Amino acid sequence: MRARTTVNAAAMACVALVACACGPEPAKEDAGAKASPPATSTSAPESTRAAEPSATPSASARTERPSTASTGEQPSPRTKEGAIRRYERYLHALGHEDIDTVCEVAGPAAKQAEDQGFGPCTSTYTAVFQMMSPARKKALRTATVDPRRVAVRTPGKIEMPVGAVRSSATFSESDLGSYTLEYLRNEWYITD
């Protein structure tokens, strides 16, 4: 199952990279969504933005930033229920196209993919958002996880099979996949 998930993730990343490179429209939409000024007219704010996360690479910065900063939530407990709650947050963020939350929760796995030659998390998931149908996004916004289908491998490692996702849409290995969450730095993160 792990090999199939890795292959599916790699295939999705390849499709996402191709989608990002295919034309200027996604870049314009992405720039509009972020409300970033053009690089030529405001180099000072960009250098200011670049200076903030300069201590770590951009994908790592999203990994390192705790999710509690923007939501005021406490870190998830190191329990099966805590992992489920964190994964549901990731699913809802996918549905809402919340790139910051998606990249923060999936940070370690996204960093591995980037190290293997795929693009940074923000580019990859922006393309994934564009490929998902509105009905699937809507289904993810309220998706839940059936705890009976979740496998606890160790106290700090949980398997989330795609079959555990409950929503108004049916997801498969090829379009959502199964994931491993690990408890790192006092929080659950997708690592595979």
Side-chain angles (χ1 to χ4, degrees):
M1 180 172 74
R2 182 177 287 245
R4 185 172 37 172
T5 301
T6 303
V7 169
N8 288 338
M12 182 180 279
C14 288
V15 170
L17 288 172
V18 169
C20 286
C22 284
E25 287 184 15
K28 288 179 186 174
E29 290 174 14
D30 188 44
K34 292 181 182 177
S36 298
T40 56
S41 64
T42 57
S43 59
E46 287 185 83
S47 64
T48 303
R49 261 185 268 144
E52 292 174 15
S54 64
T56 58
S58 61
S60 296
R62 293 196 184 282
T63 303
E64 299 295 329
R65 184 169 24 121
S67 63
T68 57
S70 62
T71 64
E73 294 179 20
Q74 295 296 317
S76 302
R78 188 178 180 177
T79 62
K80 179 179 174 179
E81 293 77 19
I84 289 170
R85 187 172 64 227
R86 178 81 160 165
Y87 185 62
E88 287 176 346
R89 185 163 181 239
Y90 166 80
L91 294 172
H92 300 164
L94 276 175
H96 287 288
E97 297 187 24
D98 177 356
I99 193 74
D100 290 333
T101 300
V102 167
C103 287
E104 192 259 320
V105 175
K111 180 66 175 139
Q112 285 178 346
E114 185 176 359
D115 290 346
Q116 294 173 359
F118 299 106
C121 184
T122 53
S123 300
T124 303
Y125 274 103
T126 298
V128 169
F129 295 152
Q130 293 172 357
M131 292 185 293
M132 271 196 284
S133 72
R136 289 196 176 273
K137 290 177 193 173
K138 185 176 181 182
L140 286 170
R141 291 177 195 149
T142 57
T144 59
V145 173
D146 181 353
R148 296 170 297 187
R149 308 279 312 261
V150 173
V152 177
R153 300 294 180 219
T154 68
K157 190 173 189 176
I158 307 269
E159 300 290 331
M160 295 285 180
V162 70
V165 176
R166 300 286 179 237
S167 72
S168 59
T170 302
F171 293 95
S172 68
E173 284 291 331
S174 63
D175 55 22
L176 183 61
S178 297
Y179 292 97
T180 300
L181 275 75
E182 291 187 61
Y183 201 75
L184 310 167
R185 298 181 303 275
N186 297 318
E187 188 58 274
W188 289 101
Y189 292 92
I190 294 173
T191 58
D192 185 28

